[in-house]
Amino acid sequence: MITTLLTTVSGFSTYLPHLISQFGSGFYLILFLLIFCETGVVFLPFLPGDSLLFLCGSFAAIANDHLNIVILLISLIIAAFLGDNTNFWIGQKFGKHILNHPRWRKLIKEEYLEKANHFFEKYGSLAIFLGRFIPIIRTIIPFTAGVGKMPAGKFRLFNLIGGVTWVTIALMSGFFFGNISFVKNHIELIMLAIVIVSLIPVLVTFVIQHKKEGSPDEE
């Protein structure tokens, strides 16, 4: 996973300026579709998320005449929210059919599905928010919530909070820190650090819950 992350970051940091120059304002649509698909299509958990947002925030800081940070924030928050909603709807309407159909089931790695199921069972509704910060889990957890018949209103609330938080943190981290010379020279390590930091909410929740489970029941 770490090797894949570093390769993805290196590739995007090389080609992103060329894509921005080539497509102009149409690049916003490309970003919208990438974030939508990464969160909304259960079969595409391998698409870049954190790294893409960070790098776009970084380029918006140095080329704001090509990429506007406000447009990025608004459009990609909408993409993340709609993506998760779509994934949830697919899980609600077709989840059992997909999981019981041999051909469709092959498109979802068993280990990914098991991790997402365990994560959702452990954290409940909070998993929708926390899952935003974990690659792979981010794509599978809305589908799992849909299959599990989570109330739609509750899902949308945690989806909105998670989408706003994830996109804002990743984009603004790139916008404010991505063009510091040290960061630019160590972009792969910085992205790895961001992924690690983004897991802190999950780790804190895990520790708190573990302590509660380990404490003796009060009489």
Side-chain angles (χ1 to χ4, degrees):
M1 178 179 171
I2 292 176
T3 302
T4 302
L5 172 65
L6 298 181
T7 302
T8 301
V9 172
S10 178
F12 267 104
S13 62
T14 301
Y15 294 110
L16 202 55
H18 302 293
L19 291 174
I20 295 171
S21 299
Q22 182 176 356
F23 292 99
S25 58
F27 187 68
Y28 290 112
L29 177 60
I30 295 174
L31 291 177
F32 184 96
L33 292 175
L34 282 172
I35 295 300
F36 176 85
C37 290
E38 199 251 357
T39 58
V41 182
V42 69
F43 308 126
L44 301 175
F46 51 83
L47 289 177
D50 307 288
S51 56
L52 179 61
L53 291 173
F54 181 86
L55 289 171
C56 286
S58 175
F59 280 110
I62 59 174
N64 53 18
D65 54 331
H66 291 93
L67 278 184
N68 183 283
I69 191 63
V70 175
I71 296 176
L72 286 175
L73 279 168
I74 294 172
S75 62
L76 298 184
I77 285 173
I78 293 172
F81 178 76
L82 293 179
D84 259 28
N85 271 355
T86 301
N87 210 343
F88 176 77
W89 179 80
I90 292 173
Q92 273 189 321
K93 300 297 183 182
F94 308 107
K96 290 184 178 179
H97 173 74
I98 291 173
L99 295 177
N100 291 326
H101 195 287
R103 182 179 299 174
W104 289 108
R105 182 61 181 263
K106 289 180 181 179
L107 297 176
I108 309 175
K109 285 191 177 182
E110 190 70 31
E111 60 179 297
Y112 294 166
L113 192 61
E114 289 178 0
K115 287 180 180 178
N117 283 328
H118 177 72
F119 193 78
F120 186 65
E121 290 173 3
K122 190 171 186 63
Y123 298 109
S125 301
L126 193 59
I128 306 304
F129 171 79
L130 296 174
R132 281 287 190 184
F133 302 92
I134 308 175
I136 305 300
I137 293 292
R138 176 166 53 242
T139 306
I140 307 295
I141 201 70
F143 177 81
T144 302
V147 174
K149 303 300 180 183
M150 180 179 180
K154 183 180 290 186
F155 173 83
R156 292 192 188 99
L157 174 62
F158 283 94
N159 174 26
L160 178 61
I161 296 172
V164 170
T165 305
W166 174 57
V167 172
T168 301
I169 289 176
L171 271 178
M172 298 313 292
S173 295
F175 188 77
F176 287 117
F177 303 113
N179 294 297
I180 298 173
S181 57
F182 175 83
V183 175
K184 286 193 291 187
N185 294 332
H186 301 84
I187 187 68
E188 291 87 356
L189 294 177
I190 297 299
M191 275 308 308
L192 184 59
I194 288 174
V195 172
I196 294 172
V197 170
S198 71
L199 294 176
I200 289 178
V202 181
L203 296 175
V204 170
T205 304
F206 173 80
V207 171
I208 293 174
Q209 189 160 339
H210 182 71
K211 286 184 177 179
K212 287 182 178 179
E213 292 175 353
S215 62
D217 294 331
E218 295 183 2
E219 296 294 335

